[in-house]
Amino acid sequence: MDETAPQKGTVTQRAIERIKAMIGEGRLEPGQRLPTERDLATQIGISRSSMREAIRALTVMGVLEARHGSGIYVTQLEAGDLLETFGVVADLSRGPRLVELLEVRRILESTATGLAAARITADQLAEVEKHLTAMNATEDPEEILAHDIAFHREIVAAAGNETMAAILDGLSSRTFRARVWRGYQEEGAFARTRREHAAIHRALVARDPDTARAAAAAHVGEVEHWLRAQLGG
């Protein structure tokens, strides 16, 4: 066996990097159709099978999209598309890794909430309040969960940073949140978490970024504390 021959994975990775470079340099624009698989393979100097793997990988990443009967196109490269698979990490993580993800969420969500306090519009604030009111009006964990997700999503959207919003959306696993709410219900902790949401809302109404940041950090920190207790440490 020729030990110097490039492995298939390496060749495919080279193709991925070349296509990404073409996009980054502006030779391929968002929404533009790619050259044919044959032409790209010839241009980069690899086999069509390796090019096919590279295109498949970039499609999974949200960089490219296949349009039936039309070809392969560069996506609009929106943060939500590019970070969509990030949510799989939160859905599949368990134990200490999930605690690590919560630490990241605490840092980012507190930052986003602080930004939102300075930037939120009256309409966005009304939406936040609507979900807060709905959470307080029910004991159904499924309804609380839906409004909890919407409450935080509205706040993060008000921060005006789409990349941060996409990352936080990926970190906010619905499966994990449902587990937290069930646990809170069993522990009778709904009152505490409602107070935490109310504190966040008050800081937004007051347009107080520092207080909003601290309230959001405390809220996610309580979830961290709960999970550590569930894990026995």
Side-chain angles (χ1 to χ4, degrees), residues 103-142:
E103 289 177 345
V104 175
R105 182 185 157 205
R106 172 166 48 83
I107 294 165
L108 292 181
E109 189 148 334
S110 61
T111 299
T113 305
L115 289 172
R119 299 173 178 176
I120 196 165
T121 67
D123 287 343
Q124 288 171 323
L125 192 55
E127 283 296 306
V128 171
E129 185 170 354
K130 180 184 78 174
H131 292 296
L132 178 64
T133 300
M135 270 191 284
N136 290 338
T138 181
E139 296 295 327
D140 183 334
E142 285 299 319

Side-chain angles (χ1 to χ4, degrees), residues 64-109:
L64 303 177
E65 62 177 335
R67 299 182 188 173
H68 184 68
S70 179
I72 306 297
Y73 289 77
V74 180
T75 68
Q76 292 304 313
L77 303 177
E78 299 289 345
D81 295 329
L82 299 177
L83 295 168
E84 185 176 355
T85 55
F86 191 66
V88 176
V89 178
D91 284 334
L92 301 183
S93 293
R94 302 174 64 188
R97 179 60 56 82
L98 201 50
V99 175
E100 290 181 1
L101 290 175
L102 275 171
E103 289 177 345
V104 175
R105 182 185 157 205
R106 172 166 48 83
I107 294 165
L108 292 181
E109 189 148 334

Side-chain angles (χ1 to χ4, degrees), residues 2-42:
D2 181 4
E3 295 294 339
T4 64
Q7 298 300 304
K8 194 168 189 179
T10 303
V11 175
T12 301
Q13 187 60 41
R14 181 157 57 91
I16 290 171
E17 294 304 320
R18 285 289 297 276
I19 294 172
K20 284 164 60 180
M22 291 169 71
I23 295 170
E25 293 163 4
R27 287 185 284 159
L28 287 172
E29 297 286 349
Q32 184 177 337
R33 187 179 185 276
L34 259 68
T36 66
E37 183 182 282
R38 184 197 302 273
D39 288 346
L40 272 175
T42 300

